[in-house]
């Protein structure tokens, strides 16, 4: 709940301002705690898709945080290490998707296989992005966009998992409500809006406000 609330504040607040940075800090820390605990529990319960997704979420918020804190220019050893982590995550997602696709009930550890394949594709995109910054460095609007899409994707994983996957903990009147779908998908819509703003607005061309 803390991660989702802080994530929404961060994505809606004016970028670079005190509120945005404070909410981003809370979101980063809350996501690390939630994903670490959730991934550990999922692994103990043999829920492989959730465990791998938790690892991918940690990668997303960690690299997004690094992009926000790192100055413009070449990247360092952290980015050289995490590219192997995200490639392993992508491979694990595709393997899980293949296992679920070929299972009798089309599921893997009680979950559908399709999300694993989608997250595997996103992980590959992230890996190609890492490779690009390793070769060219990252600066200006590209650095801000790297921070933005990774944080927003992590928020979408959290919001979708909660509002759509955990409706049992919400009031009965909200079960199946379009409001939950809107809350779950809003991070993607807001991400697209901010990515266009960052890439095409003059305010962000020199690194952001």
């Amino acid at each position: 709940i803390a991660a989702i609330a802080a994530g929404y504040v961060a994505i809606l607040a004016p970028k670079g301002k005190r509120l945005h940075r404070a909410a981003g800090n809370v979101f980063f820390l809350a996501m690390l705690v939630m994903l670490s605990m959730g991934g550990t529990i999922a692994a103990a319960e043999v829920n492989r898709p959730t465990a791998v997704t938790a690892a991918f979420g940690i990668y997303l918020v960690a690299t997004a945080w690094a992009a926000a804190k790192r100055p413009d220019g070449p990247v360092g050893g952290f980015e050289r290490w995490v590219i192997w982590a995200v490639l392993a995550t992508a491979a694990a997602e595709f393997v899980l998707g293949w296992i679920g696709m070929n299972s009798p009930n089309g599921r893997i550890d009680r979950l559908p296989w399709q999300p694993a394949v989608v997250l595997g594709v996103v992980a590959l995109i992230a890996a190609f992005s890492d490779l690009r910054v390793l070769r060219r460095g990252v600066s200006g609007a590209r650095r801000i966009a790297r921070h933005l899409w990774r944080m927003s994707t992590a928020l979408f994983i959290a919001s979708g998992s909660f509002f759509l996957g955990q409706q049992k903990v919400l009031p009965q009147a909200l079960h199946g409500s379009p409001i939950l779908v809107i809350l779950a998908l809003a991070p993607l819509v807001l991400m697209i809006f901010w990515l266009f703003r960052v890439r095409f607005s003059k305010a962000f061309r020199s690194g952001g406000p």
Side-chain angles (χ1 to χ4, degrees):
I1 292 173
I4 292 172
Y8 269 110
V9 172
I11 203 171
L12 291 170
K15 301 299 172 276
K17 304 300 182 181
R18 180 178 297 179
L19 178 60
H20 169 75
R21 294 180 181 181
N25 289 337
V26 174
F27 175 73
F28 172 68
L29 293 174
M31 286 291 288
L32 284 183
V33 173
M34 183 269 291
L35 291 167
S36 298
M37 294 178 64
T40 301
I41 294 171
E45 295 181 346
V46 195
N47 184 341
R48 289 168 289 177
T50 300
V52 174
T53 300
F56 183 46
I58 292 173
Y59 157 85
L60 287 172
V61 295
T63 51
W65 176 268
K69 295 299 182 180
R70 184 180 297 284
D72 289 351
V75 296
F78 175 72
E79 286 79 8
R80 293 187 179 91
W81 178 81
V82 294
I83 189 172
W84 298 107
V86 74
L87 284 172
T89 299
E93 294 282 14
F94 286 130
V95 169
L96 290 173
W98 183 85
I99 293 173
M101 192 181 351
N102 290 278
S103 67
N105 60 358
R107 302 176 79 83
I108 173 67
D109 297 342
R110 306 177 300 280
L111 294 174
W113 60 267
Q114 291 88 345
V117 175
V118 172
L119 288 173
V121 172
V122 177
L124 277 184
I125 293 172
F128 281 118
S129 173
D130 288 347
L131 181 60
R132 180 170 182 171
V133 301
L134 284 174
R135 295 175 59 188
R136 303 182 181 179
V138 62
S139 60
R142 291 185 182 276
R143 181 175 63 82
I144 299 172
R146 176 179 172 85
H147 165 77
L148 173 63
W149 85 259
R150 288 162 186 261
M151 282 294 197
S152 299
T153 302
L155 177 59
F156 169 66
I157 291 174
S159 63
S161 299
F162 181 70
F163 291 117
L164 300 181
Q166 297 296 328
Q167 295 188 37
K168 61 186 178 183
V169 304
L170 298 173
Q172 182 68 34
L174 291 175
H175 290 191
S177 171
I179 295 175
L180 299 182
V181 177
I182 293 172
L183 290 172
L185 298 180
L188 290 183
V189 177
L190 292 168
M191 177 183 72
I192 293 171
F193 166 78
W194 279 111
L195 283 175
F196 271 94
R197 180 97 185 270
V198 166
R199 294 307 302 270
F200 298 108
S201 171
K202 294 181 180 180
F204 292 91
R205 289 181 182 175
S206 62

